[in-house]
Amino acid sequence: MSFIDAHQHYWTLGLGHNDWPGPDLEPIFRDFGPDDLKPHLSAAGIGSTILVQAAPNVAETEFLLDIAAREETVAAVVGWVDILAADAGAELRRLKTHPKFKGIRPMLQSIDETAWILRPEAIATLEMLPQMNLRFDALVQPRHLPVIAVLADRLPDLAIVVDHGAKPFIAEGRLEPWATDMAALALRPNVHVKLSGLVTEAGGDWSVERLRPYAAHLVDVFGAERVMFGSDWPVVLLDADYAEWFAAARALTATCTAAERQAIFLGTAARFYGISAV
C-alpha cells in the first residue's frame, strides 16, 4: 500500500499564470512539472498526490486540471475561483465536470482583511461546496484560526482542511496563541489539518526537534484521522529536499501507532478528498 502526498504544486512560469515565485526565491524560480516530482514520489513510496493551486486565477486551475487529466499520479486538484463573484456557482459547476476537481483554495494569507472569508458573498459560495462534493483548503496564518472556527460553525457540512498547520511561529520558537486557537478549532469535527509546510516556517536551521512540539500538537488535538501528510513541494525546496522532509515527517510521527501513521500518510487524505487509497 502506497502513501498519498496531500499537498504539492506544479507551475510553468512562462505561461503567465503565476506571479509568484519571483527571482528572489532562486531555488524555486523555475518550472516544476510531473517529471521533476516522480523520482521523489517513487523513492518515498508515494503513489498519488493532491495538486494544489498556487495562483489566484482560473487559468492556472485549468492548467493544473490539464496536467491531472494525463498524469495518473495526480489524484485530485484543488483549484481557485473568485468566491465573491456572482457567477462563482456557475464556475464551480463548470470546473466540477473534470472528475479530478475536488476543491478550492482562496489565498486567505495574502488578504489583509482577516475575516474576509466571512463576507456574505463568500459564505454564499462556500455553502454550495458540500452540495457539489467539493472541499475547502484554508491557506491561513495563525490570525485566521478564530475566523475559521466561526466558518466551521456556520457551515458544519463544509469539509475544511487547514494547510501547513496554519503556519505556526516556529522560527520564533513560539507556540501561543497558535496552540490554543488550533485546539479550539479542532473541536469542530468538519475541520482537518495538513502536516505540511513546517520546515518553511522554521527556516534553514530547522530540525526535527524544533518541529516536534508543533507536529505533536496537531496530532494530539485533531487525532490522526484528521491529519494528513503533505510535502508542499516544490516550496519545501527553500529549506529542505523532498526526502529530508518526508523523513522528518516520519520521525515526527514515530510514536504514533501503525494505524495512526497509516491515517496520516494515506487514509485521512483519501477520505477527505474522496479518492482511492491504493
Side-chain angles (χ1 to χ4, degrees):
M1 185 173 291
S2 60
F3 304 125
I4 293 173
D5 178 344
H7 199 103
Q8 56 93 190
H9 308 283
Y10 293 134
W11 55 67
T12 300
L13 299 179
L15 296 178
H17 303 150
N18 302 80
D19 58 9
W20 185 93
D24 57 316
L25 299 175
E26 188 273 334
I28 60 173
F29 184 58
R30 66 174 181 85
D31 298 345
F32 288 93
D35 289 342
D36 299 302
L37 182 56
K38 284 177 182 176
H40 304 298
L41 299 179
S42 178
I46 291 172
S48 57
T49 72
I50 310 301
L51 179 55
V52 181
Q53 64 81 231
N57 58 75
V58 174
E60 192 229 21
T61 297
E62 292 172 338
F63 165 76
L64 300 179
L65 289 170
D66 286 344
I67 292 176
R70 60 181 185 269
E71 289 294 336
E72 290 185 0
T73 55
V74 177
V77 171
V78 176
W80 182 93
V81 300
D82 181 357
I83 63 172
L84 299 187
D87 65 347
E91 190 73 288
L92 287 169
R93 287 188 290 273
R94 183 182 70 83
L95 292 170
K96 187 67 172 63
T97 61
H98 193 297
K100 291 186 178 180
F101 181 71
K102 297 292 186 178
I104 59 169
R105 184 174 84 147
M107 305 184 79
L108 302 184
Q109 69 172 11
S110 302
I111 298 172
D112 290 338
E113 182 185 342
T114 299
W116 180 90
I117 196 63
L118 299 180
R119 288 187 178 191
E121 305 97 316
I123 294 296
T125 298
L126 294 181
E127 65 185 0
M128 300 179 194
L129 297 186
Q131 305 162 27
M132 299 184 190
N133 194 26
L134 295 173
R135 295 89 178 148
F136 174 70
D137 266 60
L139 177 59
V140 297
Q141 298 165 331
R143 64 187 170 102
H144 296 98
L145 291 175
V147 173
I148 299 302
V150 172
L151 177 67
D153 288 341
R154 190 169 298 180
L155 299 177
D157 294 329
L158 178 64
I160 301 170
V161 60
V162 176
D163 292 347
H164 313 321
K167 299 194 167 186
F169 309 106
I170 305 176
E172 302 173 25
R174 182 156 58 98
L175 280 166
E176 296 296 346
W178 171 85
T180 296
D181 289 340
M182 190 62 87
L185 181 59
L187 296 175
R188 281 74 180 177
N190 55 324
V191 182
H192 296 62
V193 68
K194 291 185 181 180
L195 181 64
S196 63
L198 300 188
V199 295
T200 310
E201 297 309 309
D205 60 347
W206 70 275
S207 68
V208 169
E209 289 312 308
R210 288 186 63 206
L211 303 183
R212 193 177 302 281
Y214 303 90
H217 186 64
L218 293 177
V219 176
D220 182 49
V221 299
F222 280 93
E225 69 279 1
R226 288 192 287 146
V227 177
M228 62 187 84
F229 164 79
S231 68
D232 198 26
W233 183 93
V235 181
V236 70
L237 298 178
L238 292 171
D239 295 292
D241 64 29
Y242 197 104
E244 287 171 331
W245 165 235
F246 184 72
R250 299 292 282 173
L252 290 167
T253 56
T255 59
C256 294
T257 67
E260 289 170 336
R261 289 194 301 275
Q262 185 180 36
I264 293 168
F265 290 91
L266 177 66
T268 300
R271 186 178 65 255
F272 181 83
Y273 286 107
I275 60 177
S276 175
V278 296

